[in-house]
């Protein structure tokens, strides 16, 4: 038996200004399209209530402890995910191959960024539509037409995808500390307020649809729950908290030792979950009031909310503000997706700006395949010969591969590393969370690995 060696305490190459900045940055990463675009549409596709409960359990019992582990690994390693994992494995006399976990996380972030930018791009023209009054009094059919027109046009999609990626590089290249932190402090609370406005509007405009929506979201019918839905729920728990893409890992590597990882993670998980549930309450009442289909898929937000904006007082302003904030929420997330790879390239001697630009450039290029998946290549289903991937476009496959496979696998391996490979002294010292530590340790050693493992295995049948 080799005695557990206590790992080195390393110094960071740069740190956050203070802990609220760190919370803002991680919350900015976590709150994004996952909450407002993806959560409502996958909830709609998977039948509502039961799916939401599984998602909430996954966040609390698995997502949160793994988030704590990921930030901890970053702060202990003080380097990009790959190099941190190599160093931390060395501390515990384990193989440098743990570095591959870092590689997989960076790859996941890269793949996600490539399509994330395309989707975020959809929201940009919607700002203009809202301001110009294009939604005023629009019927569901007209709003659907606007969305359909956007998806059918590779040229438009390319333009907005390019603009969004340029925004992302713009901030990432100059370091995260600059303008974005300040912008986020105003805009994120703004998003929150707008969601409240929409919810209150729904309640007043049509309370019976509102009640129906609450029933849909919170009244579980477990007979509708499939193994696939459970995998989607756990995958989304990781996606929405930005886990296993190296983003919070990299952010953790810049974190002061005095900040409590557990309490900041807890706060972030609460904020993130609230925003998702609020988005559901903003969207589903409109779905039911207008006889729309909850399982409409990725276009859900873009064909429901405009209907409400078109009817409510000051809807042009509220609508425009909403899409501005959606873009900003996505922006602070996409910046975080670059960070792990940029940090790694910097460690290899590349300049910050060159690193940001080259990663974003490559993701932009891959994003073109997502642009085409929405129109010209809509009928191209590369893995169609496998039953479960039948009808899935390249974009659908990137989404499935990252959220349902790479993120849960990365989370599983981080849980094993933090719970079983690192010494107890090291994790206890790094987390300094007092009596909560024992609880975290049970979650990370047993609940998270077993939970993720069982869901994976159940999905193989
Ligand atoms: N959490 C973000 C959202 O919900 C997406 C995101 C940002 C992400 N960084 C990530 C997902 C890293 C996985 C990995 O929109």
């Amino acid at each position: 038996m080799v005695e557990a060696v206590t790992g080195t305490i390393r110094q960071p190459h740069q740190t956050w200004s203070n802990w609220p900045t760190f919370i803002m940055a991680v919350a900015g990463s976590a709150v994004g399209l996952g909450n407002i675009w993806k959560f409502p549409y996958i909830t709609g596709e998977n039948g509502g209530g039961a799916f939401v409960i599984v998602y909430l359990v996954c966040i609390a019992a698995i997502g949160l402890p793994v988030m704590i582990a990921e930030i901890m690994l970053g702060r202990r390693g003080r380097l990009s995910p790959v190099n941190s994992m190599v160093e931390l494995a060395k501390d515990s006399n384990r193989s440098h191959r743990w570095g591959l976990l870092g590689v997989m996380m960076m790859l996941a972030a890269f793949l996600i960024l490539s399509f994330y930018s395309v989707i975020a791009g959809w929201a940009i023209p919607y700002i203009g539509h809202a301001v110009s009054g294009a939604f005023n009094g629009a019927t569901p059919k007209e709003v659907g037409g606007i969305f359909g027109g956007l998806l059918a046009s590779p040229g438009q999609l390319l333009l907005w995808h390019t603009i969004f990626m340029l925004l992302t590089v713009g901030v990432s290249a100059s370091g995260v500390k600059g303008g974005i932190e300040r912008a986020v402090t105003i805009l994120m609370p703004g998003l929150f307020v707008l969601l409240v406005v929409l919810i209150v509007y729904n309640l007043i405009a049509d309370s019976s649809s509102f009640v129906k929506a609450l029933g849909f979201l919170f009244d579980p019918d477990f007979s509708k729950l499939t193994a696939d839905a459970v995998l989607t729920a756990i995958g989304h728990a990781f996606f929405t908290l930005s886990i296993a893409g190296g983003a919070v890992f990299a952010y953790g590597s810049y974190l002061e030792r005095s900040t409590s990882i557990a309490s900041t993670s807890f706060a972030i998980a609460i904020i993130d979950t609230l925003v998702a549930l609020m988005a559901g309450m903003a969207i589903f009442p409109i779905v039911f009031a207008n006889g729309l289909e909850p399982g409409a898929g990725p276009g859900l937000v873009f064909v429901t909310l405009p209907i409400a904006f078109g009817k409510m007082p000051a809807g042009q302003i509220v609508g425009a503000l909403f899409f501005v904030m959606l873009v900003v929420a996505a922006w602070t997330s996409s910046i975080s997706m670059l960070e792990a790879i940029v940090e790694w390239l910097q460690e290899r001697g590349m300049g910050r700006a060159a690193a940001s630009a080259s990663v974003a450039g490559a993701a932009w290029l891959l994003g073109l395949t997502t642009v085409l998946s929405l129109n010209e290549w809509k009928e191209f289903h590369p893995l169609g010969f496998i039953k479960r991937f039948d009808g899935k476009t390249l974009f659908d496959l990137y989404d499935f591969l990252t959220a349902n496979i790479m993120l849960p696998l990365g989370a599983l391996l981080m849980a094993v590393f933090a719970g079983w490979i690192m010494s107890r002294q090291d994790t206890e010292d790094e987390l300094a969370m007092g009596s909560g530590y024992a609880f975290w340790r049970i979650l990370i050693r047993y609940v998270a690995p077993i939970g993720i493992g069982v869901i994976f295995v159940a999905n193989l049948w």
Side-chain angles (χ1 to χ4, degrees):
M1 264 311 276
V2 187
E3 273 286 296
V5 180
T6 302
T8 340
I9 292 171
R10 302 175 182 84
Q11 294 307 315
H13 19 226
Q14 54 170 344
T15 54
W16 301 98
S17 328
N18 45 38
W19 69 262
T21 338
F22 175 71
I23 294 215
M24 290 308 303
V26 182
S29 169
V31 175
L33 296 177
N35 307 64
I36 297 164
W37 162 72
K38 198 171 181 191
F39 172 75
Y41 98 72
I42 57 178
T43 298
E45 284 180 341
N46 289 290
F51 175 83
V52 173
I53 295 207
V54 175
Y55 158 80
L56 292 176
V57 170
C58 288
I59 293 268
I62 302 176
L64 179 58
V66 175
M67 178 178 224
I68 293 174
E70 181 167 345
I71 299 177
M72 178 195 73
L73 293 173
R75 190 167 74 179
R76 198 78 184 172
R78 286 294 184 211
L79 293 166
S80 64
V82 188
N83 291 330
S84 286
M85 288 313 300
V86 170
E87 290 302 315
L88 293 173
K90 257 195 234 157
D91 287 349
S92 301
N93 295 320
R94 293 305 166 106
S95 160
H96 63 275
R97 286 204 196 86
W98 275 101
L100 290 175
L101 170 55
V103 174
M104 185 181 71
M105 292 201 277
M106 300 199 312
L107 204 62
F110 177 77
L111 281 171
I112 292 171
L113 178 61
S114 77
F115 66 80
Y116 202 85
S117 166
V118 176
I119 314 290
W122 295 352
I124 305 175
Y126 271 63
I127 302 170
H129 294 326
V131 173
S132 69
F135 301 137
N136 289 357
T139 61
K141 215 171 153 216
E142 285 161 348
V143 175
I146 293 176
F147 185 65
L150 174 64
L151 292 203
S153 161
Q156 281 186 51
L157 292 174
L158 176 64
L159 172 69
W160 306 120
H161 166 51
T162 308
I163 291 176
F164 185 81
M165 201 59 102
L166 287 173
L167 287 173
T168 304
V169 183
V171 175
S172 175
S174 55
V176 190
K177 278 198 179 184
I180 197 72
E181 284 178 354
R182 225 172 317 139
V184 168
T185 349
I186 306 166
L187 288 162
M188 283 296 172
L191 179 71
F192 212 78
V193 172
L194 276 188
L195 284 172
V196 173
V197 168
L198 281 169
I199 294 170
V200 172
Y201 169 79
N202 285 338
L203 185 60
I204 298 171
D206 184 346
S207 57
S208 74
S209 297
F210 192 80
V211 171
K212 218 166 157 190
L214 286 186
F216 180 75
L217 279 171
F218 299 112
D219 187 11
D221 175 359
F222 285 98
S223 66
K224 282 191 196 153
L225 205 62
T226 60
D228 204 28
V230 177
L231 181 65
T232 304
I234 196 168
H236 187 65
F238 297 129
F239 184 90
T240 193
L241 292 176
S242 303
I243 289 169
V248 296
F249 198 118
Y251 282 5
S253 74
Y254 311 141
L255 182 62
E256 296 283 359
R257 294 230 346 134
S258 56
T259 305
S260 160
I261 293 178
S263 36
T264 43
S265 302
F266 191 73
I268 290 157
I270 299 267
I271 296 172
D272 189 79
T273 306
L274 262 181
V275 174
L277 295 177
M278 286 166 67
M281 288 189 270
I283 290 163
F284 285 111
I286 305 170
V287 170
F288 294 119
N290 292 281
L292 300 170
E293 181 48 53
L300 189 67
V301 179
F302 295 90
V303 297
T304 50
L305 291 184
I307 299 172
F309 296 140
K311 287 185 194 163
M312 65 169 60
Q316 284 173 238
I317 299 170
V318 176
L321 285 176
F322 177 85
F323 287 110
V324 167
M325 287 171 188
L326 184 55
V327 173
V328 174
W331 190 9
T332 53
S333 300
S334 61
I335 293 162
S336 77
M337 290 173 205
L338 282 177
E339 194 56 31
I341 315 179
V342 168
E343 187 182 21
W344 175 67
L345 289 173
Q346 283 183 291
E347 283 161 11
R348 304 192 48 132
M350 208 189 244
R352 171 109 202 161
S356 297
S358 38
V359 181
W364 175 84
L365 207 60
L366 183 64
L368 301 184
T369 60
T370 289
V371 165
L372 291 170
S373 296
L374 299 166
N375 35 67
E376 310 290 329
W377 296 357
K378 212 170 171 172
E379 300 310 323
F380 176 46
H381 306 146
L383 297 182
F385 55 90
I386 302 169
K387 193 165 162 276
R388 104 174 282 156
F389 298 126
D390 193 22
K392 283 198 190 296
T393 62
L394 271 175
F395 160 50
D396 297 330
L397 291 174
Y398 300 147
D399 179 30
F400 185 87
L401 175 66
T402 50
N404 294 20
I405 305 209
M406 294 172 93
L407 301 186
L409 188 60
L412 172 68
L413 293 172
M414 281 194 290
V416 168
F417 192 88
W420 296 92
I421 308 266
M422 278 178 85
S423 74
R424 190 187 165 113
Q425 286 133 283
D426 283 1
T427 52
E428 203 163 1
D429 166 59
E430 194 66 40
L431 292 176
M433 59 195 282
S435 55
Y437 178 79
F439 192 50
W440 172 80
R441 196 162 160 86
I442 293 172
L443 292 176
I444 208 73
R445 279 167 74 95
Y446 303 101
V447 178
I450 295 172
I452 303 170
V454 166
I455 293 172
F456 262 142
V457 172
N459 260 276
L460 294 178
W461 306 146

